[in-house]
Each structure stands twice: as structure tokens, then as C-alpha cells.
Amino acid sequence: MASNIQPVKMPTQAAVCAVLLALLSSCTNVPLQQGSSLGSYAGMAVSGGSLTNAKLRVNSPAVLAAQTVRIAPTRVENAGGGSFEPKDLALLTNAIDRALCRGLSDRFKVVGPNQPADLVVHATVTDIVATDRAVAATSTVATLGASVAMVPIPRIPIGLGGLSAEAEAVGQDGTQQAAMIWSRGANMLTTKARISSVGDAYSLSSAFGADFSRMLIKGQDPFKATSSIRLMQKIKASFDSDPKDDACKAFGPAPGIKGAVAGQLGLPPSWSDKGAAVSQ
């Protein structure tokens, strides 16, 4: 007699992808926060990706003709109303400067302060959504416990932080040649919980630096780049401890392997990132 018992079907690839997309969508919604640091906000087109909100404008011929760039220190504009520690904000802004410098050095010669350059880049943090440290600690403990049992577990989907920032590149005549307003929130899968109020904003700083750098390198919308290129840039920004241009050394070495370990353990950014290099 033939058995009527049907084998249990494994989830299809489409179902798995649907679950992953649902988890990725469980992120902090950080709306674009326009500041007052850019020379102009006119003519910016809506762009962005599945996780990122953005508006941008780029003068492709002028940007592609440029060969040198200087990075002005990133500032914070009323983000959090003064509720964050100055040392944490210093690490965040320096991480943005470091990401910009390493990204731009792929094509440009990055020069030091007060040196002439075809383009001057400056960024401003316009909003920081604080990470709930207690929830981040709980997520970290749960994740570490699950990793021992070899069971992947997503982050708790509450208390997630985020970052909103803007940047522009100005030519020698003071004319804006490129500009971007950018925001992104942490999500359950790709943003590791860090027990710091600026933990998620710090983790997202490299993504902002990479997106703006890619716009200047290609002279076009960076969100149209292939995912493989973006992944390689992210890996390089995280682990390349020897910057191409000497000017980038001012922002200190990338945390590298130590930073990756700190992220897995949920440690604050200050555990692995020593910030800007100390002038001798």
C-alpha cells in the first residue's frame, strides 16, 4: 500500500529572500534632515537605495576633471540637542573624515590642510538617532549566546539608532560642484549592536563616507553602482590600515580586525578606535 505521507518541503529560495527582506526592512526610519551647511540645496534629485534615503546633485564634467581634493573637518549641527558626549561625537566625525579620505583617495590626490585643491569637501552631521544602550546590551548577550550554539539570531528590533548627514564639494572658485543629503537607520541584520548611544551612527558613518566618495569618483549617482563594488569599498574602509595618501593619516588608522571583534562583542567605538592622530 502506497504511503500518503508527503515529505516536508524545505522553504523555497523566494520564501527565504522574503524573510530576509522583511528583517532588513525592520530598521529605524531616519528621514532626511536638511541642515544649513551647504552652499545650495537647489536642483537636488531624490535617490538612495533599499536602506538609504538621499538627495543629490553632481556637476559631472567639473568633478571628473578634478585631480586633487582637500577634506575639511566634519562638524555636528545640533544633532541630539547636545545630549551626546563630546568624545563620542569626536569619534563619529573623525570616522566620517577617515571614510571620506580613504574613499576619495581611490582616484584623487588628497592634500593636507591649507594646501590648494581642485575640490574642497566638507560634511556635517545633521541628526543622530541615539542607540538604546540597554537594548543593545541585551541584543549582544543574545547574539553571543546563539553564536555558541551556532544559531544565527537577528538583533532586537527596538532601540535602533541612525545617522543623517550632508556634504558638498566646492571648486576653487567657491562654486558647489556636488552635494548630498543622506540618512540611514540601523537594521536587525547588518548593523551590529554596540553599547553606545552613538554606536549605530558610528557604524553607519563609513556608509555615508563611501556613498559621497563614490559620487565624486564616478561623477554620477553612487546608488547606481553595482553591489559588488560597494561591498569591496566597505571592506577596504574597514580593514585597510595603511592609507594611500599621507593626508589621511591625520584621521588615525582604521580599527581593522580589532574593530571587527569589538563590533561582534558589542563594545563601544572607543574600545577599538583611537580617533584622530595626535600631532607631534
Side-chain angles (χ1 to χ4, degrees), residues 155-169:
R155 184 175 169 181
I156 299 174
I158 58 174
L160 305 178
L163 175 68
S164 182
E166 60 187 26
E168 69 178 353

mmCIF file with all atom_site columns, all heavy atoms in Angstrom, residues 155-169:
data_model
loop_
_atom_site.group_PDB
_atom_site.id
_atom_site.type_symbol
_atom_site.label_atom_id
_atom_site.label_alt_id
_atom_site.label_comp_id
_atom_site.label_asym_id
_atom_site.label_entity_id
_atom_site.label_seq_id
_atom_site.pdbx_PDB_ins_code
_atom_site.Cartn_x
_atom_site.Cartn_y
_atom_site.Cartn_z
_atom_site.occupancy
_atom_site.B_iso_or_equiv
_atom_site.pdbx_formal_charge
_atom_site.auth_seq_id
_atom_site.auth_comp_id
_atom_site.auth_asym_id
_atom_site.auth_atom_id
_atom_site.pdbx_PDB_model_num
ATOM 1   N N   . ARG A 1 155 ? 19.158 40.995 15.467 1.00 0.00 ? 155 ARG A N   1
ATOM 2   C CA  . ARG A 1 155 ? 19.168 41.971 16.557 1.00 0.00 ? 155 ARG A CA  1
ATOM 3   C C   . ARG A 1 155 ? 17.740 42.294 16.990 1.00 0.00 ? 155 ARG A C   1
ATOM 4   O O   . ARG A 1 155 ? 16.801 42.241 16.193 1.00 0.00 ? 155 ARG A O   1
ATOM 5   C CB  . ARG A 1 155 ? 19.870 43.232 16.051 1.00 0.00 ? 155 ARG A CB  1
ATOM 6   C CG  . ARG A 1 155 ? 20.063 44.323 17.063 1.00 0.00 ? 155 ARG A CG  1
ATOM 7   C CD  . ARG A 1 155 ? 20.883 45.432 16.436 1.00 0.00 ? 155 ARG A CD  1
ATOM 8   N NE  . ARG A 1 155 ? 20.897 46.628 17.237 1.00 0.00 ? 155 ARG A NE  1
ATOM 9   C CZ  . ARG A 1 155 ? 21.523 47.740 16.900 1.00 0.00 ? 155 ARG A CZ  1
ATOM 10  N NH1 . ARG A 1 155 ? 22.184 47.788 15.754 1.00 0.00 ? 155 ARG A NH1 1
ATOM 11  N NH2 . ARG A 1 155 ? 21.484 48.796 17.683 1.00 0.00 ? 155 ARG A NH2 1
ATOM 12  N N   . ILE A 1 156 ? 17.555 42.643 18.263 1.00 0.00 ? 156 ILE A N   1
ATOM 13  C CA  . ILE A 1 156 ? 16.238 43.053 18.753 1.00 0.00 ? 156 ILE A CA  1
ATOM 14  C C   . ILE A 1 156 ? 15.809 44.323 18.015 1.00 0.00 ? 156 ILE A C   1
ATOM 15  O O   . ILE A 1 156 ? 16.562 45.304 17.982 1.00 0.00 ? 156 ILE A O   1
ATOM 16  C CB  . ILE A 1 156 ? 16.282 43.305 20.273 1.00 0.00 ? 156 ILE A CB  1
ATOM 17  C CG1 . ILE A 1 156 ? 16.668 42.029 21.018 1.00 0.00 ? 156 ILE A CG1 1
ATOM 18  C CG2 . ILE A 1 156 ? 14.936 43.822 20.772 1.00 0.00 ? 156 ILE A CG2 1
ATOM 19  C CD1 . ILE A 1 156 ? 16.886 42.215 22.499 1.00 0.00 ? 156 ILE A CD1 1
ATOM 20  N N   . PRO A 1 157 ? 14.629 44.328 17.399 1.00 0.00 ? 157 PRO A N   1
ATOM 21  C CA  . PRO A 1 157 ? 14.239 45.441 16.520 1.00 0.00 ? 157 PRO A CA  1
ATOM 22  C C   . PRO A 1 157 ? 13.682 46.669 17.222 1.00 0.00 ? 157 PRO A C   1
ATOM 23  O O   . PRO A 1 157 ? 12.784 47.337 16.712 1.00 0.00 ? 157 PRO A O   1
ATOM 24  C CB  . PRO A 1 157 ? 13.178 44.788 15.630 1.00 0.00 ? 157 PRO A CB  1
ATOM 25  C CG  . PRO A 1 157 ? 12.523 43.804 16.526 1.00 0.00 ? 157 PRO A CG  1
ATOM 26  C CD  . PRO A 1 157 ? 13.626 43.255 17.393 1.00 0.00 ? 157 PRO A CD  1
ATOM 27  N N   . ILE A 1 158 ? 14.189 47.008 18.389 1.00 0.00 ? 158 ILE A N   1
ATOM 28  C CA  . ILE A 1 158 ? 13.811 48.249 19.067 1.00 0.00 ? 158 ILE A CA  1
ATOM 29  C C   . ILE A 1 158 ? 15.086 48.923 19.565 1.00 0.00 ? 158 ILE A C   1
ATOM 30  O O   . ILE A 1 158 ? 16.120 48.286 19.727 1.00 0.00 ? 158 ILE A O   1
ATOM 31  C CB  . ILE A 1 158 ? 12.843 47.999 20.244 1.00 0.00 ? 158 ILE A CB  1
ATOM 32  C CG1 . ILE A 1 158 ? 13.472 47.041 21.269 1.00 0.00 ? 158 ILE A CG1 1
ATOM 33  C CG2 . ILE A 1 158 ? 11.504 47.473 19.766 1.00 0.00 ? 158 ILE A CG2 1
ATOM 34  C CD1 . ILE A 1 158 ? 12.635 46.866 22.524 1.00 0.00 ? 158 ILE A CD1 1
ATOM 35  N N   . GLY A 1 159 ? 15.004 50.198 19.779 1.00 0.00 ? 159 GLY A N   1
ATOM 36  C CA  . GLY A 1 159 ? 16.159 50.940 20.272 1.00 0.00 ? 159 GLY A CA  1
ATOM 37  C C   . GLY A 1 159 ? 17.268 51.112 19.259 1.00 0.00 ? 159 GLY A C   1
ATOM 38  O O   . GLY A 1 159 ? 18.415 51.386 19.618 1.00 0.00 ? 159 GLY A O   1
ATOM 39  N N   . LEU A 1 160 ? 16.939 50.951 17.963 1.00 0.00 ? 160 LEU A N   1
ATOM 40  C CA  . LEU A 1 160 ? 17.949 51.093 16.926 1.00 0.00 ? 160 LEU A CA  1
ATOM 41  C C   . LEU A 1 160 ? 18.239 52.575 16.669 1.00 0.00 ? 160 LEU A C   1
ATOM 42  O O   . LEU A 1 160 ? 17.346 53.413 16.726 1.00 0.00 ? 160 LEU A O   1
ATOM 43  C CB  . LEU A 1 160 ? 17.486 50.441 15.625 1.00 0.00 ? 160 LEU A CB  1
ATOM 44  C CG  . LEU A 1 160 ? 17.074 48.966 15.701 1.00 0.00 ? 160 LEU A CG  1
ATOM 45  C CD1 . LEU A 1 160 ? 16.590 48.487 14.340 1.00 0.00 ? 160 LEU A CD1 1
ATOM 46  C CD2 . LEU A 1 160 ? 18.229 48.111 16.180 1.00 0.00 ? 160 LEU A CD2 1
ATOM 47  N N   . GLY A 1 161 ? 19.483 52.876 16.356 1.00 0.00 ? 161 GLY A N   1
ATOM 48  C CA  . GLY A 1 161 ? 19.879 54.247 16.091 1.00 0.00 ? 161 GLY A CA  1
ATOM 49  C C   . GLY A 1 161 ? 19.990 54.540 14.612 1.00 0.00 ? 161 GLY A C   1
ATOM 50  O O   . GLY A 1 161 ? 19.650 53.717 13.760 1.00 0.00 ? 161 GLY A O   1
ATOM 51  N N   . GLY A 1 162 ? 20.485 55.728 14.296 1.00 0.00 ? 162 GLY A N   1
ATOM 52  C CA  . GLY A 1 162 ? 20.633 56.104 12.901 1.00 0.00 ? 162 GLY A CA  1
ATOM 53  C C   . GLY A 1 162 ? 21.439 57.372 12.741 1.00 0.00 ? 162 GLY A C   1
ATOM 54  O O   . GLY A 1 162 ? 21.848 58.010 13.722 1.00 0.00 ? 162 GLY A O   1
ATOM 55  N N   . LEU A 1 163 ? 21.675 57.745 11.494 1.00 0.00 ? 163 LEU A N   1
ATOM 56  C CA  . LEU A 1 163 ? 22.518 58.891 11.175 1.00 0.00 ? 163 LEU A CA  1
ATOM 57  C C   . LEU A 1 163 ? 21.939 59.656 9.988  1.00 0.00 ? 163 LEU A C   1
ATOM 58  O O   . LEU A 1 163 ? 21.475 59.065 9.018  1.00 0.00 ? 163 LEU A O   1
ATOM 59  C CB  . LEU A 1 163 ? 23.929 58.416 10.821 1.00 0.00 ? 163 LEU A CB  1
ATOM 60  C CG  . LEU A 1 163 ? 24.932 59.470 10.332 1.00 0.00 ? 163 LEU A CG  1
ATOM 61  C CD1 . LEU A 1 163 ? 25.297 60.435 11.460 1.00 0.00 ? 163 LEU A CD1 1
ATOM 62  C CD2 . LEU A 1 163 ? 26.187 58.797 9.781  1.00 0.00 ? 163 LEU A CD2 1
ATOM 63  N N   . SER A 1 164 ? 21.972 60.980 10.095 1.00 0.00 ? 164 SER A N   1
ATOM 64  C CA  . SER A 1 164 ? 21.633 61.849 8.975  1.00 0.00 ? 164 SER A CA  1
ATOM 65  C C   . SER A 1 164 ? 22.782 62.837 8.806  1.00 0.00 ? 164 SER A C   1
ATOM 66  O O   . SER A 1 164 ? 23.280 63.392 9.786  1.00 0.00 ? 164 SER A O   1
ATOM 67  C CB  . SER A 1 164 ? 20.322 62.606 9.244  1.00 0.00 ? 164 SER A CB  1
ATOM 68  O OG  . SER A 1 164 ? 19.971 63.416 8.133  1.00 0.00 ? 164 SER A OG  1
ATOM 69  N N   . ALA A 1 165 ? 23.218 63.018 7.563  1.00 0.00 ? 165 ALA A N   1
ATOM 70  C CA  . ALA A 1 165 ? 24.358 63.893 7.306  1.00 0.00 ? 165 ALA A CA  1
ATOM 71  C C   . ALA A 1 165 ? 24.236 64.511 5.919  1.00 0.00 ? 165 ALA A C   1
ATOM 72  O O   . ALA A 1 165 ? 23.435 64.067 5.092  1.00 0.00 ? 165 ALA A O   1
ATOM 73  C CB  . ALA A 1 165 ? 25.663 63.102 7.417  1.00 0.00 ? 165 ALA A CB  1
ATOM 74  N N   . GLU A 1 166 ? 25.037 65.537 5.681  1.00 0.00 ? 166 GLU A N   1
ATOM 75  C CA  . GLU A 1 166 ? 25.083 66.166 4.369  1.00 0.00 ? 166 GLU A CA  1
ATOM 76  C C   . GLU A 1 166 ? 26.519 66.573 4.071  1.00 0.00 ? 166 GLU A C   1
ATOM 77  O O   . GLU A 1 166 ? 27.333 66.744 4.984  1.00 0.00 ? 166 GLU A O   1
ATOM 78  C CB  . GLU A 1 166 ? 24.154 67.381 4.301  1.00 0.00 ? 166 GLU A CB  1
ATOM 79  C CG  . GLU A 1 166 ? 24.482 68.475 5.307  1.00 0.00 ? 166 GLU A CG  1
ATOM 80  C CD  . GLU A 1 166 ? 23.432 69.585 5.317  1.00 0.00 ? 166 GLU A CD  1
ATOM 81  O OE1 . GLU A 1 166 ? 22.267 69.306 4.962  1.00 0.00 ? 166 GLU A OE1 1
ATOM 82  O OE2 . GLU A 1 166 ? 23.785 70.728 5.692  1.00 0.00 ? 166 GLU A OE2 1
ATOM 83  N N   . ALA A 1 167 ? 26.831 66.683 2.787  1.00 0.00 ? 167 ALA A N   1
ATOM 84  C CA  . ALA A 1 167 ? 28.190 67.037 2.387  1.00 0.00 ? 167 ALA A CA  1
ATOM 85  C C   . ALA A 1 167 ? 28.156 67.699 1.019  1.00 0.00 ? 167 ALA A C   1
ATOM 86  O O   . ALA A 1 167 ? 27.209 67.521 0.248  1.00 0.00 ? 167 ALA A O   1
ATOM 87  C CB  . ALA A 1 167 ? 29.090 65.804 2.357  1.00 0.00 ? 167 ALA A CB  1
ATOM 88  N N   . GLU A 1 168 ? 29.201 68.454 0.727  1.00 0.00 ? 168 GLU A N   1
ATOM 89  C CA  . GLU A 1 168 ? 29.335 69.071 -0.584 1.00 0.00 ? 168 GLU A CA  1
ATOM 90  C C   . GLU A 1 168 ? 30.806 69.153 -0.968 1.00 0.00 ? 168 GLU A C   1
ATOM 91  O O   . GLU A 1 168 ? 31.692 69.085 -0.109 1.00 0.00 ? 168 GLU A O   1
ATOM 92  C CB  . GLU A 1 168 ? 28.704 70.461 -0.620 1.00 0.00 ? 168 GLU A CB  1
ATOM 93  C CG  . GLU A 1 168 ? 29.429 71.514 0.189  1.00 0.00 ? 168 GLU A CG  1
ATOM 94  C CD  . GLU A 1 168 ? 28.781 72.891 0.075  1.00 0.00 ? 168 GLU A CD  1
ATOM 95  O OE1 . GLU A 1 168 ? 27.843 73.070 -0.735 1.00 0.00 ? 168 GLU A OE1 1
ATOM 96  O OE2 . GLU A 1 168 ? 29.222 73.807 0.812  1.00 0.00 ? 168 GLU A OE2 1
ATOM 97  N N   . ALA A 1 169 ? 31.046 69.281 -2.259 1.00 0.00 ? 169 ALA A N   1
ATOM 98  C CA  . ALA A 1 169 ? 32.379 69.514 -2.809 1.00 0.00 ? 169 ALA A CA  1
ATOM 99  C C   . ALA A 1 169 ? 32.339 70.853 -3.528 1.00 0.00 ? 169 ALA A C   1
ATOM 100 O O   . ALA A 1 169 ? 31.479 71.073 -4.389 1.00 0.00 ? 169 ALA A O   1
ATOM 101 C CB  . ALA A 1 169 ? 32.771 68.399 -3.765 1.00 0.00 ? 169 ALA A CB  1
#
